[in-house]
Amino acid sequence: SVINFLERLCLTWIFFFMMCVAERTYKQRFLFAKLFSHITSARKARKYEIPHFRLKKVENIKIWLSLRSYLKRRGPQRSVDVVVSSIFLLALSIAFICCAQVLKGHKTFLNAAYNWEFLIWEAALLLFLLRLASLGSETNKKYSNISILLTEQINLYLKMEKKPNKKEQLSLVNNVLKLSTKLLKELDTPFRLYGLTMNPLIYNITRVVILSAVSGVISDLLGFNIRV
């Protein structure tokens, strides 16, 4: 019993240590995204002591897009995605087991000690996933903030009125900004859940398995069939 307890304690510590590493990576990503969104604002750039430039030249737009791409790929990517996917699969498996136990006998579900352990694990994993989802969602909002490009387009139109002699050059920059806006919209991956990278296989498993289990539990508790 002591050896079993120590093994479970070590495995739990290793697993939560990996989750803390993933959360730290997500926090770093959010910090980079936050500072990146302040580059084109003179006041915020001065406040956070970071470089500042406006997107009024084609060269500046190229630098802005290259910097965005570099920051998004900075730090561990695949390893963190594997950890997050493993956490999601574990939470999904525990939820499926709990649903199966409830279907087996919902009146005696809380009588077993391992069911309480499952519930504690599920609560801890869900809280952690919500934390990662919040950080990932905020990070995506910073990188996908199209209002920056729209603001620069408005500034260009105002400059065209003040400086008609540079209208051709400013029109070229404006066209590049429009293409950049379309590019940012196309770069959003379809398999994302509030900023968390979702593998297509995991997405399909979630949609089919867990929804079927939840449907069975609700139908068993309410006494009539419900399809989710």
PDB file of all heavy atoms in Angstrom, residues 118-143:
ATOM      1  N   PHE A 118     -11.835  10.087  -9.035  1.00  0.00           N
ATOM      2  CA  PHE A 118     -12.084  10.507 -10.410  1.00  0.00           C
ATOM      3  C   PHE A 118     -12.646  11.922 -10.464  1.00  0.00           C
ATOM      4  O   PHE A 118     -12.252  12.735 -11.313  1.00  0.00           O
ATOM      5  CB  PHE A 118     -13.046   9.537 -11.095  1.00  0.00           C
ATOM      6  CG  PHE A 118     -12.398   8.267 -11.569  1.00  0.00           C
ATOM      7  CD1 PHE A 118     -13.085   7.065 -11.518  1.00  0.00           C
ATOM      8  CD2 PHE A 118     -11.104   8.271 -12.064  1.00  0.00           C
ATOM      9  CE1 PHE A 118     -12.493   5.891 -11.948  1.00  0.00           C
ATOM     10  CE2 PHE A 118     -10.505   7.099 -12.504  1.00  0.00           C
ATOM     11  CZ  PHE A 118     -11.208   5.909 -12.440  1.00  0.00           C
ATOM     12  N   LEU A 119     -13.584  12.225  -9.572  1.00  0.00           N
ATOM     13  CA  LEU A 119     -14.193  13.550  -9.564  1.00  0.00           C
ATOM     14  C   LEU A 119     -13.174  14.634  -9.218  1.00  0.00           C
ATOM     15  O   LEU A 119     -13.188  15.729  -9.795  1.00  0.00           O
ATOM     16  CB  LEU A 119     -15.356  13.579  -8.572  1.00  0.00           C
ATOM     17  CG  LEU A 119     -16.602  12.783  -8.972  1.00  0.00           C
ATOM     18  CD1 LEU A 119     -17.647  12.839  -7.852  1.00  0.00           C
ATOM     19  CD2 LEU A 119     -17.194  13.314 -10.270  1.00  0.00           C
ATOM     20  N   ILE A 120     -12.273  14.347  -8.272  1.00  0.00           N
ATOM     21  CA  ILE A 120     -11.239  15.315  -7.901  1.00  0.00           C
ATOM     22  C   ILE A 120     -10.287  15.560  -9.073  1.00  0.00           C
ATOM     23  O   ILE A 120      -9.936  16.708  -9.387  1.00  0.00           O
ATOM     24  CB  ILE A 120     -10.473  14.829  -6.658  1.00  0.00           C
ATOM     25  CG1 ILE A 120     -11.400  14.808  -5.432  1.00  0.00           C
ATOM     26  CG2 ILE A 120      -9.262  15.715  -6.381  1.00  0.00           C
ATOM     27  CD1 ILE A 120     -10.784  14.182  -4.202  1.00  0.00           C
ATOM     28  N   TRP A 121      -9.865  14.480  -9.731  1.00  0.00           N
ATOM     29  CA  TRP A 121      -9.001  14.620 -10.897  1.00  0.00           C
ATOM     30  C   TRP A 121      -9.693  15.410 -11.997  1.00  0.00           C
ATOM     31  O   TRP A 121      -9.085  16.291 -12.627  1.00  0.00           O
ATOM     32  CB  TRP A 121      -8.598  13.238 -11.417  1.00  0.00           C
ATOM     33  CG  TRP A 121      -7.319  12.742 -10.854  1.00  0.00           C
ATOM     34  CD1 TRP A 121      -7.147  11.981  -9.728  1.00  0.00           C
ATOM     35  CD2 TRP A 121      -6.009  12.968 -11.382  1.00  0.00           C
ATOM     36  NE1 TRP A 121      -5.824  11.711  -9.528  1.00  0.00           N
ATOM     37  CE2 TRP A 121      -5.100  12.302 -10.523  1.00  0.00           C
ATOM     38  CE3 TRP A 121      -5.516  13.645 -12.479  1.00  0.00           C
ATOM     39  CZ2 TRP A 121      -3.727  12.317 -10.744  1.00  0.00           C
ATOM     40  CZ3 TRP A 121      -4.149  13.665 -12.714  1.00  0.00           C
ATOM     41  CH2 TRP A 121      -3.272  13.006 -11.845  1.00  0.00           C
ATOM     42  N   GLU A 122     -10.959  15.095 -12.235  1.00  0.00           N
ATOM     43  CA  GLU A 122     -11.696  15.783 -13.302  1.00  0.00           C
ATOM     44  C   GLU A 122     -11.823  17.271 -13.002  1.00  0.00           C
ATOM     45  O   GLU A 122     -11.651  18.122 -13.893  1.00  0.00           O
ATOM     46  CB  GLU A 122     -13.085  15.152 -13.454  1.00  0.00           C
ATOM     47  CG  GLU A 122     -13.913  15.703 -14.595  1.00  0.00           C
ATOM     48  CD  GLU A 122     -13.369  15.309 -15.961  1.00  0.00           C
ATOM     49  OE1 GLU A 122     -12.497  14.410 -16.030  1.00  0.00           O
ATOM     50  OE2 GLU A 122     -13.802  15.916 -16.956  1.00  0.00           O
ATOM     51  N   ALA A 123     -12.107  17.619 -11.744  1.00  0.00           N
ATOM     52  CA  ALA A 123     -12.235  19.028 -11.377  1.00  0.00           C
ATOM     53  C   ALA A 123     -10.901  19.758 -11.562  1.00  0.00           C
ATOM     54  O   ALA A 123     -10.861  20.885 -12.093  1.00  0.00           O
ATOM     55  CB  ALA A 123     -12.717  19.150  -9.938  1.00  0.00           C
ATOM     56  N   ALA A 124      -9.797  19.124 -11.130  1.00  0.00           N
ATOM     57  CA  ALA A 124      -8.479  19.748 -11.268  1.00  0.00           C
ATOM     58  C   ALA A 124      -8.104  19.944 -12.739  1.00  0.00           C
ATOM     59  O   ALA A 124      -7.609  21.006 -13.137  1.00  0.00           O
ATOM     60  CB  ALA A 124      -7.421  18.899 -10.564  1.00  0.00           C
ATOM     61  N   LEU A 125      -8.360  18.929 -13.560  1.00  0.00           N
ATOM     62  CA  LEU A 125      -8.021  19.029 -14.980  1.00  0.00           C
ATOM     63  C   LEU A 125      -8.883  20.071 -15.698  1.00  0.00           C
ATOM     64  O   LEU A 125      -8.387  20.817 -16.552  1.00  0.00           O
ATOM     65  CB  LEU A 125      -8.184  17.659 -15.653  1.00  0.00           C
ATOM     66  CG  LEU A 125      -7.212  16.569 -15.198  1.00  0.00           C
ATOM     67  CD1 LEU A 125      -7.528  15.259 -15.896  1.00  0.00           C
ATOM     68  CD2 LEU A 125      -5.771  16.966 -15.473  1.00  0.00           C
ATOM     69  N   LEU A 126     -10.163  20.129 -15.338  1.00  0.00           N
ATOM     70  CA  LEU A 126     -11.040  21.113 -15.973  1.00  0.00           C
ATOM     71  C   LEU A 126     -10.636  22.540 -15.609  1.00  0.00           C
ATOM     72  O   LEU A 126     -10.651  23.437 -16.458  1.00  0.00           O
ATOM     73  CB  LEU A 126     -12.495  20.851 -15.575  1.00  0.00           C
ATOM     74  CG  LEU A 126     -13.155  19.637 -16.229  1.00  0.00           C
ATOM     75  CD1 LEU A 126     -14.581  19.475 -15.725  1.00  0.00           C
ATOM     76  CD2 LEU A 126     -13.140  19.749 -17.746  1.00  0.00           C
ATOM     77  N   LEU A 127     -10.277  22.763 -14.346  1.00  0.00           N
ATOM     78  CA  LEU A 127      -9.814  24.094 -13.948  1.00  0.00           C
ATOM     79  C   LEU A 127      -8.546  24.483 -14.700  1.00  0.00           C
ATOM     80  O   LEU A 127      -8.394  25.634 -15.139  1.00  0.00           O
ATOM     81  CB  LEU A 127      -9.565  24.129 -12.436  1.00  0.00           C
ATOM     82  CG  LEU A 127     -10.808  24.092 -11.541  1.00  0.00           C
ATOM     83  CD1 LEU A 127     -10.408  23.993 -10.078  1.00  0.00           C
ATOM     84  CD2 LEU A 127     -11.658  25.341 -11.763  1.00  0.00           C
ATOM     85  N   PHE A 128      -7.646  23.520 -14.861  1.00  0.00           N
ATOM     86  CA  PHE A 128      -6.405  23.809 -15.575  1.00  0.00           C
ATOM     87  C   PHE A 128      -6.673  24.079 -17.052  1.00  0.00           C
ATOM     88  O   PHE A 128      -6.093  25.004 -17.639  1.00  0.00           O
ATOM     89  CB  PHE A 128      -5.449  22.622 -15.420  1.00  0.00           C
ATOM     90  CG  PHE A 128      -4.070  22.899 -15.908  1.00  0.00           C
ATOM     91  CD1 PHE A 128      -3.164  23.594 -15.119  1.00  0.00           C
ATOM     92  CD2 PHE A 128      -3.659  22.472 -17.160  1.00  0.00           C
ATOM     93  CE1 PHE A 128      -1.885  23.864 -15.578  1.00  0.00           C
ATOM     94  CE2 PHE A 128      -2.390  22.726 -17.620  1.00  0.00           C
ATOM     95  CZ  PHE A 128      -1.497  23.423 -16.829  1.00  0.00           C
ATOM     96  N   LEU A 129      -7.567  23.292 -17.663  1.00  0.00           N
ATOM     97  CA  LEU A 129      -7.901  23.508 -19.065  1.00  0.00           C
ATOM     98  C   LEU A 129      -8.591  24.854 -19.273  1.00  0.00           C
ATOM     99  O   LEU A 129      -8.366  25.526 -20.288  1.00  0.00           O
ATOM    100  CB  LEU A 129      -8.796  22.376 -19.571  1.00  0.00           C
ATOM    101  CG  LEU A 129      -8.098  21.037 -19.849  1.00  0.00           C
ATOM    102  CD1 LEU A 129      -9.125  19.973 -20.206  1.00  0.00           C
ATOM    103  CD2 LEU A 129      -7.064  21.174 -20.964  1.00  0.00           C
ATOM    104  N   LEU A 130      -9.434  25.256 -18.328  1.00  0.00           N
ATOM    105  CA  LEU A 130     -10.076  26.567 -18.427  1.00  0.00           C
ATOM    106  C   LEU A 130      -9.039  27.686 -18.350  1.00  0.00           C
ATOM    107  O   LEU A 130      -9.148  28.700 -19.047  1.00  0.00           O
ATOM    108  CB  LEU A 130     -11.116  26.733 -17.316  1.00  0.00           C
ATOM    109  CG  LEU A 130     -12.398  25.922 -17.471  1.00  0.00           C
ATOM    110  CD1 LEU A 130     -13.289  26.091 -16.234  1.00  0.00           C
ATOM    111  CD2 LEU A 130     -13.158  26.360 -18.715  1.00  0.00           C
ATOM    112  N   ARG A 131      -8.026  27.496 -17.497  1.00  0.00           N
ATOM    113  CA  ARG A 131      -6.952  28.483 -17.395  1.00  0.00           C
ATOM    114  C   ARG A 131      -6.184  28.587 -18.712  1.00  0.00           C
ATOM    115  O   ARG A 131      -5.933  29.690 -19.224  1.00  0.00           O
ATOM    116  CB  ARG A 131      -6.006  28.081 -16.253  1.00  0.00           C
ATOM    117  CG  ARG A 131      -4.740  28.913 -16.138  1.00  0.00           C
ATOM    118  CD  ARG A 131      -5.039  30.349 -15.834  1.00  0.00           C
ATOM    119  NE  ARG A 131      -3.810  31.102 -15.612  1.00  0.00           N
ATOM    120  CZ  ARG A 131      -3.751  32.425 -15.604  1.00  0.00           C
ATOM    121  NH1 ARG A 131      -4.846  33.154 -15.811  1.00  0.00           N
ATOM    122  NH2 ARG A 131      -2.600  33.037 -15.384  1.00  0.00           N
ATOM    123  N   LEU A 132      -5.831  27.445 -19.291  1.00  0.00           N
ATOM    124  CA  LEU A 132      -5.116  27.453 -20.566  1.00  0.00           C
ATOM    125  C   LEU A 132      -5.988  28.022 -21.679  1.00  0.00           C
ATOM    126  O   LEU A 132      -5.497  28.741 -22.559  1.00  0.00           O
ATOM    127  CB  LEU A 132      -4.678  26.031 -20.924  1.00  0.00           C
ATOM    128  CG  LEU A 132      -3.577  25.399 -20.074  1.00  0.00           C
ATOM    129  CD1 LEU A 132      -3.204  24.038 -20.634  1.00  0.00           C
ATOM    130  CD2 LEU A 132      -2.348  26.290 -20.011  1.00  0.00           C
ATOM    131  N   ALA A 133      -7.287  27.685 -21.660  1.00  0.00           N
ATOM    132  CA  ALA A 133      -8.192  28.206 -22.684  1.00  0.00           C
ATOM    133  C   ALA A 133      -8.296  29.724 -22.602  1.00  0.00           C
ATOM    134  O   ALA A 133      -8.343  30.412 -23.624  1.00  0.00           O
ATOM    135  CB  ALA A 133      -9.574  27.570 -22.534  1.00  0.00           C
ATOM    136  N   SER A 134      -8.311  30.252 -21.380  1.00  0.00           N
ATOM    137  CA  SER A 134      -8.378  31.701 -21.202  1.00  0.00           C
ATOM    138  C   SER A 134      -7.116  32.378 -21.736  1.00  0.00           C
ATOM    139  O   SER A 134      -7.188  33.370 -22.475  1.00  0.00           O
ATOM    140  CB  SER A 134      -8.575  32.038 -19.723  1.00  0.00           C
ATOM    141  OG  SER A 134      -8.557  33.428 -19.505  1.00  0.00           O
ATOM    142  N   LEU A 135      -5.942  31.832 -21.383  1.00  0.00           N
ATOM    143  CA  LEU A 135      -4.686  32.405 -21.875  1.00  0.00           C
ATOM    144  C   LEU A 135      -4.573  32.282 -23.386  1.00  0.00           C
ATOM    145  O   LEU A 135      -4.155  33.225 -24.072  1.00  0.00           O
ATOM    146  CB  LEU A 135      -3.503  31.703 -21.201  1.00  0.00           C
ATOM    147  CG  LEU A 135      -3.272  32.012 -19.717  1.00  0.00           C
ATOM    148  CD1 LEU A 135      -2.193  31.098 -19.148  1.00  0.00           C
ATOM    149  CD2 LEU A 135      -2.877  33.467 -19.529  1.00  0.00           C
ATOM    150  N   GLY A 136      -4.955  31.125 -23.919  1.00  0.00           N
ATOM    151  CA  GLY A 136      -4.875  30.929 -25.358  1.00  0.00           C
ATOM    152  C   GLY A 136      -5.817  31.837 -26.122  1.00  0.00           C
ATOM    153  O   GLY A 136      -5.466  32.356 -27.185  1.00  0.00           O
ATOM    154  N   SER A 137      -7.010  32.047 -25.586  1.00  0.00           N
ATOM    155  CA  SER A 137      -7.973  32.928 -26.232  1.00  0.00           C
ATOM    156  C   SER A 137      -7.482  34.373 -26.250  1.00  0.00           C
ATOM    157  O   SER A 137      -7.573  35.065 -27.275  1.00  0.00           O
ATOM    158  CB  SER A 137      -9.322  32.837 -25.522  1.00  0.00           C
ATOM    159  OG  SER A 137     -10.257  33.725 -26.078  1.00  0.00           O
ATOM    160  N   GLU A 138      -6.926  34.838 -25.125  1.00  0.00           N
ATOM    161  CA  GLU A 138      -6.404  36.203 -25.070  1.00  0.00           C
ATOM    162  C   GLU A 138      -5.210  36.378 -26.006  1.00  0.00           C
ATOM    163  O   GLU A 138      -5.055  37.430 -26.647  1.00  0.00           O
ATOM    164  CB  GLU A 138      -6.003  36.554 -23.632  1.00  0.00           C
ATOM    165  CG  GLU A 138      -7.164  36.649 -22.660  1.00  0.00           C
ATOM    166  CD  GLU A 138      -8.127  37.766 -23.032  1.00  0.00           C
ATOM    167  OE1 GLU A 138      -7.667  38.815 -23.540  1.00  0.00           O
ATOM    168  OE2 GLU A 138      -9.336  37.586 -22.832  1.00  0.00           O
ATOM    169  N   THR A 139      -4.368  35.344 -26.097  1.00  0.00           N
ATOM    170  CA  THR A 139      -3.218  35.414 -27.003  1.00  0.00           C
ATOM    171  C   THR A 139      -3.667  35.514 -28.450  1.00  0.00           C
ATOM    172  O   THR A 139      -3.142  36.319 -29.228  1.00  0.00           O
ATOM    173  CB  THR A 139      -2.322  34.175 -26.816  1.00  0.00           C
ATOM    174  OG1 THR A 139      -1.890  34.096 -25.454  1.00  0.00           O
ATOM    175  CG2 THR A 139      -1.100  34.246 -27.720  1.00  0.00           C
ATOM    176  N   ASN A 140      -4.652  34.713 -28.834  1.00  0.00           N
ATOM    177  CA  ASN A 140      -5.156  34.770 -30.202  1.00  0.00           C
ATOM    178  C   ASN A 140      -5.792  36.113 -30.518  1.00  0.00           C
ATOM    179  O   ASN A 140      -5.681  36.626 -31.642  1.00  0.00           O
ATOM    180  CB  ASN A 140      -6.182  33.650 -30.427  1.00  0.00           C
ATOM    181  CG  ASN A 140      -5.510  32.313 -30.668  1.00  0.00           C
ATOM    182  OD1 ASN A 140      -4.312  32.244 -30.895  1.00  0.00           O
ATOM    183  ND2 ASN A 140      -6.283  31.258 -30.602  1.00  0.00           N
ATOM    184  N   LYS A 141      -6.473  36.705 -29.533  1.00  0.00           N
ATOM    185  CA  LYS A 141      -7.080  38.016 -29.756  1.00  0.00           C
ATOM    186  C   LYS A 141      -6.017  39.073 -30.028  1.00  0.00           C
ATOM    187  O   LYS A 141      -6.207  39.964 -30.863  1.00  0.00           O
ATOM    188  CB  LYS A 141      -7.915  38.411 -28.542  1.00  0.00           C
ATOM    189  CG  LYS A 141      -9.223  37.653 -28.400  1.00  0.00           C
ATOM    190  CD  LYS A 141      -9.992  38.125 -27.181  1.00  0.00           C
ATOM    191  CE  LYS A 141     -11.294  37.344 -27.018  1.00  0.00           C
ATOM    192  NZ  LYS A 141     -12.042  37.777 -25.805  1.00  0.00           N
ATOM    193  N   LYS A 142      -4.895  38.981 -29.311  1.00  0.00           N
ATOM    194  CA  LYS A 142      -3.825  39.965 -29.517  1.00  0.00           C
ATOM    195  C   LYS A 142      -3.210  39.834 -30.913  1.00  0.00           C
ATOM    196  O   LYS A 142      -2.937  40.834 -31.586  1.00  0.00           O
ATOM    197  CB  LYS A 142      -2.741  39.794 -28.455  1.00  0.00           C
ATOM    198  CG  LYS A 142      -3.198  40.043 -27.026  1.00  0.00           C
ATOM    199  CD  LYS A 142      -3.585  41.498 -26.808  1.00  0.00           C
ATOM    200  CE  LYS A 142      -3.952  41.742 -25.349  1.00  0.00           C
ATOM    201  NZ  LYS A 142      -4.371  43.142 -25.109  1.00  0.00           N
ATOM    202  N   TYR A 143      -2.956  38.582 -31.342  1.00  0.00           N
ATOM    203  CA  TYR A 143      -2.327  38.369 -32.642  1.00  0.00           C
ATOM    204  C   TYR A 143      -3.307  38.581 -33.796  1.00  0.00           C
ATOM    205  O   TYR A 143      -2.883  38.920 -34.907  1.00  0.00           O
ATOM    206  CB  TYR A 143      -1.752  36.954 -32.727  1.00  0.00           C
ATOM    207  CG  TYR A 143      -0.431  36.795 -32.028  1.00  0.00           C
ATOM    208  CD1 TYR A 143      -0.246  35.817 -31.057  1.00  0.00           C
ATOM    209  CD2 TYR A 143       0.642  37.619 -32.333  1.00  0.00           C
ATOM    210  CE1 TYR A 143       0.976  35.664 -30.410  1.00  0.00           C
ATOM    211  CE2 TYR A 143       1.869  37.473 -31.695  1.00  0.00           C
ATOM    212  CZ  TYR A 143       2.022  36.492 -30.740  1.00  0.00           C
ATOM    213  OH  TYR A 143       3.227  36.344 -30.100  1.00  0.00           O
TER     214      TYR A 143
END
